[in-house]
Amino acid sequence: MTDKLLVNESKATVTLPIEAYNAMVQSREVSIPLVTLEKFSDLTGLTNRGREGSKHQYGVVEGLRRNGYLPTIKLGRHVMVNLFALQEELSEKDRI
């Protein structure tokens, strides 16, 4: 086990001891850049399913994704919202 960070610039990676990583996770210094549409729905309070009895089967989150307002990536069969890209997009709009 190493007690130093190992940086590989050619591969854009950083290696650190598991204890340091666990400490960062516990202190919430690490954030997850991708979330499922369902988790994004929970975090924002927007619906992900259409209302019962409605002609629309999709909710607000799915509509935002389908219309290109949410930066998403497909991993296997899962569609994930890229929170970092969304944050960048929103900060760009603030600068305009």
Side-chain angles (χ1 to χ4, degrees), residues 6-14:
L6 301 174
V7 179
N8 184 334
E9 292 179 14
S10 65
K11 291 185 178 180
T13 61
V14 175

Side-chain angles (χ1 to χ4, degrees), residues 14-72:
V14 175
T15 305
L16 67 155
I18 192 68
E19 295 84 12
Y21 175 78
N22 287 338
M24 289 170 57
V25 170
Q26 291 296 326
S27 66
R28 307 223 191 271
E29 292 176 22
V30 174
S31 61
I32 300 170
L34 301 173
V35 294
T36 62
L37 293 175
E38 291 78 15
K39 183 65 175 176
F40 184 80
S41 174
D42 291 342
L43 292 170
T44 60
L46 299 172
T47 62
N48 194 34
R49 300 276 179 231
R51 291 187 192 144
E52 196 169 320
S54 171
K55 66 178 183 175
H56 303 287
Q57 72 183 73
Y58 300 112
V60 175
V61 173
E62 181 63 24
L64 291 171
R65 182 191 75 83
R66 286 175 174 252
N67 290 315
Y69 294 112
L70 282 179
T72 58

Side-chain angles (χ1 to χ4, degrees), residues 58-91:
Y58 300 112
V60 175
V61 173
E62 181 63 24
L64 291 171
R65 182 191 75 83
R66 286 175 174 252
N67 290 315
Y69 294 112
L70 282 179
T72 58
I73 185 169
K74 191 164 184 182
L75 295 173
R77 60 187 169 114
H78 304 283
V79 177
M80 310 289 282
V81 177
N82 185 336
L83 296 178
F84 286 164
L86 180 60
Q87 187 175 2
E88 280 293 313
E89 208 172 285
L90 293 173
S91 66

